[in-house]
Amino acid sequence: MRKLLNSVVLILSLSVSFLYACKQDKSETLPIEVDEEQEINSFADLIEVVNLGDSADQYTLVEEFLDSLDAPVIENDTTVYFIYFGEASSVQVAGDFSGWNPSGRTFEKLRDTNLWYRIELFESNARLDYKLVINNSNWILDPMNPNRISGGFGSNSELAMPAYVQPTEIIEREETAKGTISIVQVASSNTGRTYSVHVYLPASYDESSEYPVAYFQDGLEYIDLASSATVIDNLIHDELIRPLIGVFVVPNDRNTEYALGDRFKYTDFLVEELVPYIDENFATIEDAAERAVIGDSYGGNISAIIAFQNPDVFGNCGIHSGAFQNYNFHTNGIVMDDELKPIRVASIWGTYEGGSLPANMRGVRDYLIETGYDITWKELPEGHSWGLWRATIDDMLTLFFPTD
């Protein structure tokens, strides 16, 4: 918006010439009259002036105007103008807000310029991933938006609305002591597979002490895409959590192990084999109240199964956008079994995740609250994205392992 305002002087100086310079014969249709004092204070004003203008100079003005513009343009806190400037036969946008389906999200071309735009409305604190789709097939990052975010399928452009607060805990700081990560291989007789396990130890780790442990599904993604080690480092430095050990488990067959036929075998691996291995080889507190299991999507599904079937092993369960839908929501029955268990729960999901997920997460939340569980939850205007999950790890860890 500031860049738009910076262009006002240029636009005002040119507005008279490009709107009124062309004299016409009285027999011809005259251009629509526009107030010569009209100011262009927004992208909406630019569209109006160009549509009302009748001079070729307006197209040069558009190019000069966009030279200093980042997109998308956000006005009035909730109105978004997605923009594309270039040769194309069609332009669309797809993202969290459309279920990544570009159908029905077609841009309008501004007269015969190369400027394409689409107007959308979002909450003032929304944060969404998206891509542009050129000529119905070419999916690209928004060339006018410098903000990128990594996802499970590569980078996306990021739209952050004005009230969205970027997570500072994911940023490395010079003054923060850094923990270390080592990799161990753990074989499982339950699944017949060997798992690569990345073990984070805090900078203050001392074998003569004992530490709580957080187990993460999709271990590499929580490290690489969610910056979990950095988050833990910063939370410890800020004395928001106690020093802890992080166990980041890399799946072999994610869908099968987390949500399909091997989910109970994988549960047995983690409870009967991995937890004892970690307790034997690292300085852990061997108490369910000092263990957490955390996961995203299908990883949230298996984390719920693990904790609610084994409350004597895991007393904390972090569910990022739990995808419980397989086997007719069988995981719902495991969680909502009419028994209050000693488990603290953190459940976080987005309103733009689509399908049955948001509604199901609300139903699970309501059950947990009514049953008397210690639960923290957030429903945010975001999608099924690592952008959502990385920014809310702190909500989970500060609930599970607060400083005394």
Side-chain angles (χ1 to χ4, degrees):
M1 182 65 185
R2 289 192 295 270
K3 293 179 179 179
L4 291 173
L5 293 174
N6 290 338
S7 301
V8 167
V9 174
L10 169 63
I11 295 166
L12 286 175
S13 66
L14 293 174
S15 60
V16 174
S17 62
F18 92 79
L19 288 174
Y20 302 102
C22 296
K23 294 184 179 180
Q24 301 183 17
D25 184 89
K26 291 184 180 180
S27 62
E28 297 176 346
T29 302
L30 294 175
I32 299 174
E33 291 187 0
V34 178
D35 184 355
E36 294 186 8
E37 300 299 320
Q38 179 177 358
E39 293 185 354
I40 299 180
N41 293 314
S42 66
F43 193 79
D45 289 346
L46 176 66
I47 293 172
E48 180 180 3
V49 168
V50 170
N51 279 327
L52 292 176
D54 195 46
S55 169
D57 290 343
Q58 64 191 298
Y59 310 125
T60 301
L61 178 61
V62 166
E63 292 182 4
E64 293 176 348
F65 188 80
L66 296 180
D67 278 345
S68 60
L69 179 68
D70 288 339
V73 176
I74 301 172
E75 297 179 1
N76 303 318
D77 291 335
T78 59
T79 302
V80 176
Y81 292 86
F82 289 101
I83 298 170
Y84 178 73
F85 189 70
E87 295 283 349
S89 59
S90 69
V91 181
Q92 298 166 297
V93 63
D96 291 327
F97 47 89
S98 68
W100 290 95
N101 181 358
S103 178
R105 305 279 176 164
T106 301
F107 285 43
E108 182 177 346
K109 190 175 183 182
L110 186 57
R111 293 187 67 171
D112 58 345
T113 72
N114 285 329
L115 176 62
W116 301 75
Y117 67 94
R118 178 170 179 81
I119 305 172
E120 296 280 356
L121 295 175
F122 300 113
E123 297 86 347
S124 62
N125 64 328
R127 193 218 60 82
L128 301 160
D129 292 16
Y130 73 96
K131 278 189 169 77
L132 301 184
V133 184
I134 311 301
N135 300 334
N136 297 313
S137 60
N138 185 20
W139 291 63
I140 65 170
L141 296 170
D142 186 342
M144 298 183 67
N145 183 356
N147 300 314
R148 306 279 190 263
I149 188 163
S150 296
F153 298 96
S155 293
N156 294 316
S157 293
E158 180 184 55
L159 167 65
M161 298 297 284
Y164 177 79
V165 178
Q166 292 287 351
T168 58
E169 69 274 7
I170 68 173
I171 301 171
E172 290 188 7
R173 310 175 195 159
E174 289 185 6
E175 69 273 18
T176 298
K178 308 299 190 296
T180 60
I181 295 179
S182 59
I183 303 174
V184 298
Q185 303 296 320
V186 181
S188 171
S189 59
N190 282 290
T191 66
R193 303 181 178 105
T194 297
Y195 293 87
S196 179
V197 180
H198 297 236
V199 181
Y200 163 93
L201 300 178
S204 60
Y205 182 77
D206 182 346
E207 289 186 353
S208 64
S209 299
E210 293 182 335
Y211 300 87
V213 187
Y215 289 77
F216 292 82
Q217 315 304 329
D218 287 315
L220 284 180
E221 285 78 7
Y222 266 102
I223 292 173
D224 294 339
L225 302 182
S227 304
S228 294
T230 299
V231 171
I232 296 171
D233 286 338
N234 287 332
L235 294 179
I236 293 172
H237 176 84
D238 294 340
E239 298 183 349
L240 295 174
I241 63 171
R242 289 172 283 143
L244 59 82
I245 296 171
V247 178
F248 297 88
V249 188
V250 180
N252 284 286
D253 187 342
R254 182 180 186 275
N255 291 352
T256 300
E257 292 168 345
Y258 288 177
L260 301 176
D262 286 350
R263 65 195 188 283
F264 297 119
K265 293 180 182 179
Y266 180 85
T267 296
D268 291 341
F269 152 68
L270 201 138
V271 171
E272 298 173 0
E273 297 172 310
L274 183 57
V275 168
Y277 175 90
I278 296 298
D279 286 345
E280 181 179 350
N281 290 278
F282 299 93
T284 67
I285 303 174
E286 298 185 24
D287 183 343
E290 300 295 335
R291 293 193 194 98
V293 59
I294 298 170
D296 65 288
S297 191
Y298 276 170
N301 180 72
I302 195 64
S303 295
I305 292 173
I306 290 168
F308 281 84
Q309 284 193 333
N310 301 277
D312 57 328
V313 179
F314 285 97
N316 302 281
C317 181
I319 304 170
H320 271 140
S321 306
F324 289 4
Q325 68 271 14
N326 289 90
Y327 299 102
N328 196 27
F329 292 92
H330 184 236
T331 303
N332 281 14
I334 295 174
V335 174
M336 299 186 288
D337 64 353
D338 297 324
E339 179 183 351
L340 177 60
K341 298 173 182 177
I343 302 172
R344 283 175 293 189
V345 179
S347 183
I348 298 167
W349 66 93
T351 57
Y352 287 95
E353 300 206 44
S356 60
L357 194 153
N360 191 63
M361 285 291 94
R362 293 184 203 114
V364 172
R365 171 204 60 194
D366 293 346
Y367 165 83
L368 294 174
I369 292 172
E370 292 167 4
T371 308
Y373 278 88
D374 183 0
I375 176 175
T376 185
W377 64 272
K378 284 185 176 180
E379 182 178 62
L380 300 169
E382 301 192 46
H384 201 73
S385 165
W386 282 103
L388 168 63
W389 304 329
R390 73 177 187 178
T392 51
I393 295 171
D394 59 331
D395 293 289
M396 296 183 173
L397 296 181
T398 54
L399 173 69
F400 300 154
F401 308 117
T403 52
D404 297 329

